[in-house]
Amino acid sequence: NSFVRCQMAWKFSYVDKIKIKPSWAITGRSAHAAEEANYKQKLETHEDMSLSDVKDIAVSIFDEELNSGTEQVLWEEGETPGKTKDRVVVGVSGYHTNVAPQIQPVMVEEPVELILPWGTTLVGRIDVVDQDTAIRDTKHVSYKPRPGDDRYQTQPGIYGYAYQRLTGSIPKFMFDNVILGNKKYPKAIAEIETIETTVDDKRISWALKRLKAIDRGIQAATKSGDVAANPSVWNCKNCGYRSLCPYGVSG
């Protein structure tokens, strides 16, 4: 996705190894760590951790991410670490109260390493698979997704392909959207919207074709060092490499 959005930003991050993380990355990592800890123990106990314990984990990871010193944090205008931490706590609380009790995990952070049809190795993890053979992917977002947004995402097809290679069957796929409101003014209570996305052979084939094209582009760019910027108000506003890039636009 980074390569598709802007090859120049991809180069700064993955070739030049200049690591900058937007504030939403801290939110996502902190919440993910808390959810992962709960589901790992729930594999055996079949019971959720207490809400206070889950919030403590999220806050602890947030503080570690904030103070790690390995990546520069990109804050939006008017945003502060305190407000962002509040968003993490709101999101984790909403998820743990409304989504987690419905899920009995059968896989948590399941490692995947396989050879794609064109020879590239794919390495990753499947976050959570529930009792209904559904892969659950959690998104902590500012606003409610628009109808049809999921149809353009490669993720369900790639996860579906990996799961099919592991088990021989095609899974369901669920986006659990935790809607947190404006980054400057987080909601007091997170709204939850779960969207089931169809995964079938057609979806998997489309995702693999798209991934292959991106992979070929990355290999060519890595070999030649020649990358193209993709300046736009949206891309540049949300890019942490604005000060380094000669092609950025403002607005």
Side-chain angles (χ1 to χ4, degrees):
N1 284 339
S2 175
F3 186 81
V4 171
R5 186 165 52 249
C6 179
Q7 295 177 21
M8 184 65 72
W10 167 84
K11 178 180 180 293
F12 285 133
S13 180
Y14 293 99
V15 178
D16 300 335
K17 305 298 183 183
I18 302 170
K19 291 300 182 181
I20 296 176
K21 57 188 173 189
S23 59
W24 57 257
I26 302 180
T27 302
R29 293 175 191 177
S30 305
H32 183 95
E35 293 155 11
E36 177 187 340
N38 177 54
Y39 285 139
K40 279 187 172 179
Q41 66 83 36
K42 196 174 182 181
L43 280 169
E44 301 296 331
T45 67
H46 288 236
E47 294 183 359
D48 288 306
M49 297 168 62
S50 70
L51 177 57
S52 61
D53 285 347
V54 169
K55 289 195 293 186
D56 285 346
I57 293 170
V59 168
S60 175
I61 298 300
F62 179 91
D63 290 337
E64 287 181 15
E65 289 282 341
L66 186 63
N67 300 309
S68 66
T70 58
E71 298 171 286
Q72 179 185 338
V73 181
L74 177 65
W75 303 100
E76 293 189 4
E77 184 180 354
E79 194 179 17
T80 66
K83 290 177 182 177
T84 304
K85 186 185 291 189
D86 288 343
R87 286 169 59 82
V88 172
V89 172
V90 167
V92 166
S93 299
Y95 181 90
H96 194 68
T97 301
N98 297 294
V99 180
Q102 306 170 31
I103 296 174
Q104 175 52 49
V106 296
M107 291 183 183
V108 180
E109 294 296 314
E110 185 71 19
V112 174
E113 183 169 351
L114 51 86
I115 305 299
L116 293 165
W118 58 93
T120 294
T121 300
L122 175 68
V123 179
R125 292 180 181 273
I126 298 175
D127 297 345
V128 178
V129 180
D130 71 14
Q131 70 276 16
D132 296 322
T133 318
I135 296 175
R136 311 292 296 238
D137 185 70
T138 306
K139 304 288 188 187
H140 290 252
V141 296
S142 296
Y143 304 105
K144 184 179 294 189
R146 294 169 296 181
D149 277 355
D150 64 291
R151 77 181 67 170
Y152 302 109
Q153 297 204 28
T154 311
Q155 191 175 9
I158 297 302
Y159 272 68
Y161 175 74
Y163 185 87
Q164 186 181 41
R165 289 282 299 270
L166 282 175
T167 68
S169 62
I170 295 178
K172 302 174 185 177
F173 194 98
M174 313 289 282
F175 285 109
D176 292 312
N177 295 294
V178 182
I179 303 158
L180 298 172
N182 190 294
K183 293 180 182 180
K184 300 177 187 178
Y185 308 104
K187 291 182 179 181
I189 301 174
E191 181 182 351
I192 308 294
E193 182 176 275
T194 295
I195 300 173
E196 181 172 355
T197 297
T198 300
V199 179
D200 53 21
D201 289 332
K202 182 178 179 180
R203 182 70 177 258
I204 290 172
S205 176
W206 174 82
L208 288 173
K209 287 179 181 178
R210 184 172 189 268
L211 186 60
K212 182 179 180 180
I214 296 169
D215 184 19
R216 291 287 185 258
I218 287 174
Q219 290 186 37
T222 301
K223 183 176 181 179
S224 68
D226 187 20
V227 298
N230 185 24
S232 71
V233 171
W234 175 255
N235 281 349
C236 297
K237 176 183 177 182
N238 293 280
C239 180
Y241 301 101
R242 292 191 300 265
S243 62
L244 305 176
C245 181
Y247 304 104
V249 297
S250 60

